[in-house]
Amino acid sequence: MTSPVVSIAYHSGYGHTAVLAEAVRAGAAEAGAEVHLIKVDEITEEQWALLDASDAIVFGSPTYMGTASGAFHVFAEATSKRWATQAWQDKLAAGFTNSASKSGDKLHTLQFFQILAAQLGMHWVGLGLMPGWNSSTASENDLNRLGVFLGAAAQTNADEGPDAVHKADIATAEHLGRRVTETARAFTLGRAAA
């Protein structure tokens, strides 16, 4: 069986989200995927073709003012050409985001990604982790320490750089990359068997 192809379409304003994109890439590669990192604010026609050929696309953006960044919104609007032809029908989709506040309305960004995926006819892959850091015996170093189920969420202080992205959030993003790859492999095998 060939390796699943996973592409990570992301925007990073100050580098924090790029750290998460790299973590998703590392997790997907570890699980056996062929992985492509695509910066949506610099996307080329060749990279659009990579997205078209992918088994799964993971969306990523910082959460700014309660939603994905403007640069990601430009990319999302440009996917309307794929919507018109249903070019991404039945691909897998997932997402990740970062903001400075513990909540920071990150859920809204992930819901935006999920709705975009649904409009494109894609199947959403959630995080698949129980919440961490929610009991007296838990730790801020737990996977899914922010308790988000829809995708990988990270919190980084506004006055710190990309090197301050929390290690647990990086590990959670790696988990997402592995989960997307494993799900893509199962979908591919299922299609072959059908």
Side-chain angles (χ1 to χ4, degrees):
M1 182 192 142
T2 61
S3 299
V5 179
V6 176
S7 289
I8 302 160
Y10 76 99
H11 174 249
S12 185
Y14 298 96
H16 306 89
T17 309
V19 170
L20 298 175
E22 174 55 34
V24 173
R25 186 211 61 76
E30 177 188 310
E34 173 188 328
V35 190
H36 304 282
L37 283 174
I38 299 171
K39 295 179 181 180
V40 299
D41 55 332
E42 301 174 3
I43 193 165
T44 65
E45 285 305 315
E46 292 78 16
Q47 290 172 321
W48 279 111
L50 284 173
L51 292 174
D52 293 343
S54 296
D55 297 302
I57 301 171
V58 184
F59 301 128
S61 169
T63 296
Y64 293 152
M65 303 306 291
T67 189
S69 67
F72 193 91
H73 276 268
V74 169
F75 163 77
E77 288 183 22
T79 66
S80 63
K81 291 179 182 176
R82 272 65 190 170
W83 171 82
T85 62
Q86 290 297 280
W88 293 358
Q89 178 80 26
D90 292 329
K91 291 184 185 299
L92 299 181
F96 61 94
T97 189
N98 180 80
S99 72
S101 298
K102 292 288 190 271
S103 168
D105 294 317
K106 287 184 270 287
L107 179 60
H108 184 261
T109 299
L110 293 170
Q111 289 171 327
F112 169 72
F113 293 158
Q114 188 180 40
I115 292 168
L116 175 65
Q119 288 178 335
L120 291 162
M122 303 170 81
H123 302 285
W124 190 260
V125 178
L127 192 55
L129 286 173
M130 295 297 288
W133 202 21
N134 69 350
S135 72
S136 62
T137 59
S139 160
E140 71 171 301
N141 297 309
D142 293 342
L143 287 179
N144 196 19
R145 71 185 182 111
L146 299 178
V148 177
F149 295 91
L150 202 54
Q155 180 275 327
T156 310
N157 293 330
D159 59 349
E160 294 185 290
D163 58 327
V165 176
H166 200 287
K167 300 296 186 226
D169 296 340
I170 292 171
T172 301
E174 290 171 349
H175 167 84
L176 180 64
R178 287 189 298 273
R179 181 169 167 81
V180 168
T181 300
E182 291 161 3
T183 306
R185 184 174 290 112
F187 262 60
T188 301
L189 289 170
R191 282 190 191 111

